Amino acid sequence: MNSSALTDTYNLTVTDNPSLTVTLNPGTPISLNPTAEGVFGSQDVGVNVMTTDDKGYTLTMSAATSSLSRSTADSSAPVIETLASATAQNDFPNNRWGFKRTSTKYTDTNFQPMLANYNVPVSSNGNITGSSGETSTLTFGVKLNTDIPSGEYSIAINFLAVNNVAPNLYYMQDATPSSLAAAMPNVHDTAVLYDRRDGQEYTVAKLKDGKYWMTKNLTLAGGIVLTSEDTDMAPGYTLPVANGFQEGNRLPEASKYGTGFTEQEMAAVYNSGNEEYTTGGLLSYYNWTATTLGSGVGIYEDNIDAPYSICPAGWKLPTSRTGEFTEEKALQSDTYQMAVQYGLSENEWLSQTGSQFCSQAGTCASTVPNIGMNGYYWNGELVNDGYAQYATATTSATPNDGANVRTLGYGYRGYSSPLRVWSSQSISRGLGFSVRCLFDDTMQSFSSDYASALAMEESVQLRDKRDNKYYWVTKLKDGNVWMTQNLDLDLDSSVALTSADTDLHSVTSWTPVRSTIDSTTYNNTASGASGGIVTYNGSNSQNGGFASDWTNDYNTPYSVDPGYRYVVPKEMSGPNTNYYDNGDTFYYCTNQDATCGGNSENGHYTMGNFYNFAA
């Protein structure tokens, strides 16, 4: 008999799991003989990280306490406290200790305090090449005098290294357009990032509006110190103590009955730690003064955003816009843009059916955008009534007037109405609301990778961090990305521009010598107008010259704000016989209204400021 053999093919798939190792070189412990005046000593500790992950790593350290404890069973034994703030070695106080970092990411000039239960970033790298890995050096310093009893003092410090979700991306504060795009290339992709301020973990997602949102509520605790390096505020900004903030740029301590929940201009924070009513994370509530770090106090005009927020640096509160949703307003409304992508109808309402929003008691059709009905907090009462009109998903940076703020609302408008979402609900500023942040596409965060991702002649709208004005930028045929609006930055002699927000290379900051804001009564329709398209007439004779004190001072920075926009009329479908006898098909604009003619496109290009060469 003939025999036959059956041959089968088996495929072996090998997954390349990246390795990660951390090696500690503790060095020699510090040994001191204190004197009455005090003696300083230090010790270098090397921490080596090796990984095969092409996205690199992030190294952090933390401790459960901030003090060095003496090895004794006596619970009342003395301790050596950490520094109160960053301190140079020659100013080191007695009986204090601290550290400083030398790594590829951080190099401290001064010694830093070690805060309890705080994840201190040590180093980060988008890619490690070579077999030796990368070593960071931590220098621990202490100064003692004879007030401290002799003995061995120690602290347990934990080092943690993790592979990044994208190159150089572990903390929310380190996010860039390119790193977020690498981590979440597709709509509804998610990534886990950490807030450098307290180590809290947040899930962020790329939503249908193309932006990156937190899908978990902010849980920043009351009492924490905020800086411009880790929080959405400008360098040098001080949290106003008069509005309930604590000395040293601290949030107010969390309180159930703080006056801030009854007084609209007093900051108030409430951290409940209750996950019962939301899929979005722990319930933390902040009134609008706390949410905007006091920068919203005094803003009473609708559609004007507070400049700063409680969000991590590089992230922001969503914006909201009220009134008729013209194209211009819709483009400036983050809440509207996000909600409309999930089925928001023209009347600003969204039915729960078919949506991906989550209800308070029910399950979610999807975990994205994972917005729960978190209610609100007021004067000792957490309101999570399913029929509450004010079941807010997240507050915004935009006030409605002096008493109210715009929010992304979610819930029932009445007992018999369906569950719906509205993007610009007006609610009292004094109430406590949950907060969601989204990545802030600013002029300053724009990168070459971002530019490469734009299609030819594609436009995006970006915010200038220095004054919160928005500009359109477009990728033109030369392959470069150009502003298609003139710069409108007012040079204020009291505000310094820095290398972090301005094209400054050789210096770290520059404060303009002087600035003149003038011509606010310039009538830009009386002269230089042709065919309804308004242009600057060069001499500005309607205002007696651009500025009475504009001189030929070539060396002094000078700026003048003409105050109004170019008006680019919207073309009509037929002749506008009300204004033109020659059959022109343009709206005729008789003032400096940004939406002249009823169409936002008319105000697309701004005249901006005028600057001399020194400026």
Side-chain angles (χ1 to χ4, degrees), residues 157-205:
I157 295 179
N158 301 312
F159 291 90
L160 173 67
V162 296
N163 287 320
N164 296 329
V165 298
N168 295 312
L169 182 57
Y170 174 79
Y171 290 109
M172 295 182 70
Q173 287 87 343
D174 293 332
T176 63
S178 56
S179 65
L180 290 173
M184 294 165 282
N186 305 307
V187 171
H188 290 169
D189 283 350
T190 62
V192 175
L193 301 178
Y194 295 84
D195 190 337
R196 196 163 57 206
R197 297 172 294 187
D198 59 2
Q200 285 289 331
E201 172 187 301
Y202 295 98
T203 301
V204 299

Side-chain angles (χ1 to χ4, degrees), residues 474-559:
T474 304
K475 189 171 186 177
L476 301 184
K477 287 185 176 181
D478 62 356
N480 294 318
V481 177
W482 288 75
M483 290 172 59
T484 52
Q485 290 179 256
N486 298 333
L487 184 68
D488 198 36
L489 178 68
D490 296 333
L491 293 185
D492 188 336
S493 59
S494 64
V495 177
L497 306 178
T498 72
S499 57
D501 57 30
T502 305
D503 182 30
L504 295 171
H505 301 289
S506 60
V507 293
T508 57
S509 67
W510 172 68
T511 302
V513 176
R514 63 183 181 184
S515 173
T516 299
I517 308 302
D518 197 9
S519 304
T520 55
T521 59
Y522 174 40
N523 180 354
N524 68 352
T525 61
S527 178
S530 175
I533 300 178
V534 177
T535 60
Y536 169 56
N537 69 359
S539 65
N540 189 13
S541 58
Q542 280 71 35
N543 201 40
F546 237 158
S548 59
D549 57 349
W550 184 289
T551 65
N552 292 326
D553 184 353
Y554 303 121
N555 298 318
T556 299
Y558 226 124
S559 71

Side-chain angles (χ1 to χ4, degrees), residues 54-307:
D54 59 5
K55 296 185 291 295
Y57 76 97
T58 294
L59 174 68
T60 63
M61 68 176 181
S62 63
T65 180
S66 61
S67 57
L68 304 177
S69 301
R70 191 169 70 160
S71 301
T72 175
D74 183 3
S75 60
S76 63
V79 297
I80 302 173
E81 299 290 352
T82 190
L83 294 168
S85 60
T87 307
Q89 180 176 328
N90 57 358
D91 293 324
F92 221 94
N94 278 320
N95 306 322
R96 295 276 182 164
W97 77 281
F99 70 90
K100 61 181 179 179
R101 302 160 294 182
T102 305
S103 68
T104 57
K105 183 72 173 180
Y106 305 98
T107 300
D108 296 322
T109 302
N110 298 324
F111 284 85
Q112 310 294 316
M114 185 72 179
L115 303 179
N117 299 311
Y118 176 73
N119 287 331
V120 179
V122 176
S123 187
S124 181
N125 198 330
N127 193 4
I128 296 180
T129 58
S131 57
S132 60
E134 191 169 72
T135 298
S136 301
T137 300
L138 289 157
T139 302
F140 294 95
V142 62
K143 186 176 182 181
L144 304 177
N145 66 9
T146 51
D147 293 340
I148 290 291
S150 62
E152 183 177 286
Y153 292 80
S154 63
I155 186 173
I157 295 179
N158 301 312
F159 291 90
L160 173 67
V162 296
N163 287 320
N164 296 329
V165 298
N168 295 312
L169 182 57
Y170 174 79
Y171 290 109
M172 295 182 70
Q173 287 87 343
D174 293 332
T176 63
S178 56
S179 65
L180 290 173
M184 294 165 282
N186 305 307
V187 171
H188 290 169
D189 283 350
T190 62
V192 175
L193 301 178
Y194 295 84
D195 190 337
R196 196 163 57 206
R197 297 172 294 187
D198 59 2
Q200 285 289 331
E201 172 187 301
Y202 295 98
T203 301
V204 299
K206 183 178 182 178
L207 299 188
K208 284 185 177 181
D209 59 358
K211 297 180 179 179
Y212 302 95
W213 289 73
M214 291 169 53
T215 60
K216 181 180 178 181
N217 298 335
L218 187 73
T219 58
L220 194 66
I224 195 167
V225 176
L226 303 181
T227 69
S228 60
E229 287 76 21
D230 55 34
T231 305
D232 177 32
M233 62 185 188
Y237 180 71
T238 302
L239 303 187
V241 177
N243 296 110
F245 296 94
Q246 299 179 24
E247 295 285 353
N249 263 22
R250 292 179 181 268
L251 282 176
E253 294 290 346
S255 170
K256 290 186 178 182
Y257 304 101
T259 57
F261 287 114
T262 56
E263 298 179 21
Q264 293 179 351
E265 294 189 350
M266 296 298 291
V269 176
Y270 172 54
N271 305 113
S272 73
N274 185 352
E275 296 187 65
E276 179 181 356
Y277 292 112
T278 178
T279 57
L282 298 177
L283 290 177
S284 293
Y285 294 87
Y286 312 87
N287 72 353
W288 201 61
T289 297
T291 302
T292 62
L293 305 184
S295 67
V297 174
I299 300 179
Y300 305 127
E301 186 177 353
D302 195 3
N303 298 335
I304 301 297
D305 304 320

Side-chain angles (χ1 to χ4, degrees), residues 584-604:
D584 280 353
T585 58
F586 290 97
Y587 288 103
Y588 180 74
C589 302
T590 58
N591 55 44
Q592 297 82 23
D593 187 358
T595 58
C596 176
N599 291 270
S600 62
E601 294 90 339
N602 299 337
H604 184 97

Side-chain angles (χ1 to χ4, degrees), residues 166-493:
N168 295 312
L169 182 57
Y170 174 79
Y171 290 109
M172 295 182 70
Q173 287 87 343
D174 293 332
T176 63
S178 56
S179 65
L180 290 173
M184 294 165 282
N186 305 307
V187 171
H188 290 169
D189 283 350
T190 62
V192 175
L193 301 178
Y194 295 84
D195 190 337
R196 196 163 57 206
R197 297 172 294 187
D198 59 2
Q200 285 289 331
E201 172 187 301
Y202 295 98
T203 301
V204 299
K206 183 178 182 178
L207 299 188
K208 284 185 177 181
D209 59 358
K211 297 180 179 179
Y212 302 95
W213 289 73
M214 291 169 53
T215 60
K216 181 180 178 181
N217 298 335
L218 187 73
T219 58
L220 194 66
I224 195 167
V225 176
L226 303 181
T227 69
S228 60
E229 287 76 21
D230 55 34
T231 305
D232 177 32
M233 62 185 188
Y237 180 71
T238 302
L239 303 187
V241 177
N243 296 110
F245 296 94
Q246 299 179 24
E247 295 285 353
N249 263 22
R250 292 179 181 268
L251 282 176
E253 294 290 346
S255 170
K256 290 186 178 182
Y257 304 101
T259 57
F261 287 114
T262 56
E263 298 179 21
Q264 293 179 351
E265 294 189 350
M266 296 298 291
V269 176
Y270 172 54
N271 305 113
S272 73
N274 185 352
E275 296 187 65
E276 179 181 356
Y277 292 112
T278 178
T279 57
L282 298 177
L283 290 177
S284 293
Y285 294 87
Y286 312 87
N287 72 353
W288 201 61
T289 297
T291 302
T292 62
L293 305 184
S295 67
V297 174
I299 300 179
Y300 305 127
E301 186 177 353
D302 195 3
N303 298 335
I304 301 297
D305 304 320
Y308 309 134
S309 80
I310 200 173
C311 293
W315 299 70
K316 67 168 185 174
L317 290 173
T319 57
S320 182
R321 291 293 181 267
T322 58
E324 179 184 358
F325 275 104
T326 62
E327 180 183 356
E328 183 181 36
K329 286 186 177 180
L331 285 170
Q332 293 181 5
S333 176
D334 297 315
T335 55
Y336 179 80
Q337 283 294 307
M338 190 269 280
V340 74
Q341 296 298 327
Y342 289 91
L344 190 68
S345 61
E346 292 179 358
N347 64 357
E348 303 179 42
W349 291 90
L350 172 65
S351 170
Q352 184 189 15
T353 305
S355 75
Q356 293 183 326
F357 290 86
C358 307
S359 64
Q360 177 182 4
T363 59
C364 303
S366 169
T367 57
V368 178
N370 195 26
I371 290 181
M373 189 163 63
N374 304 319
Y376 64 93
Y377 188 87
W378 183 71
N379 199 26
E381 182 180 5
L382 184 60
V383 181
N384 275 292
D385 183 1
Y387 292 97
Q389 181 178 356
Y390 304 136
T392 297
T394 180
T395 191
S396 78
T398 313
N400 180 35
D401 51 38
N404 297 295
V405 60
R406 294 289 172 181
T407 68
L408 178 63
Y410 186 78
Y412 299 92
R413 184 59 77 95
Y415 284 92
S416 60
S417 64
L419 192 62
R420 293 176 174 177
V421 169
W422 58 99
S423 64
S424 59
Q425 177 66 34
S426 177
I427 308 176
S428 171
R429 297 187 186 196
L431 302 180
F433 301 111
S434 52
V435 170
R436 298 284 180 97
C437 306
L438 74 158
F439 182 71
D440 193 7
D441 273 353
T442 64
M443 303 280 286
Q444 285 80 0
S445 68
F446 197 84
S447 65
S448 58
D449 291 340
Y450 197 168
S452 299
L454 292 179
M456 193 63 65
E457 299 187 359
E458 181 181 356
S459 297
V460 293
Q461 192 177 46
L462 303 175
R463 181 177 69 91
D464 189 337
K465 290 170 58 176
R466 299 170 295 185
D467 58 5
N468 290 324
K469 291 178 182 176
Y470 287 86
Y471 298 93
W472 286 97
V473 300
T474 304
K475 189 171 186 177
L476 301 184
K477 287 185 176 181
D478 62 356
N480 294 318
V481 177
W482 288 75
M483 290 172 59
T484 52
Q485 290 179 256
N486 298 333
L487 184 68
D488 198 36
L489 178 68
D490 296 333
L491 293 185
D492 188 336
S493 59

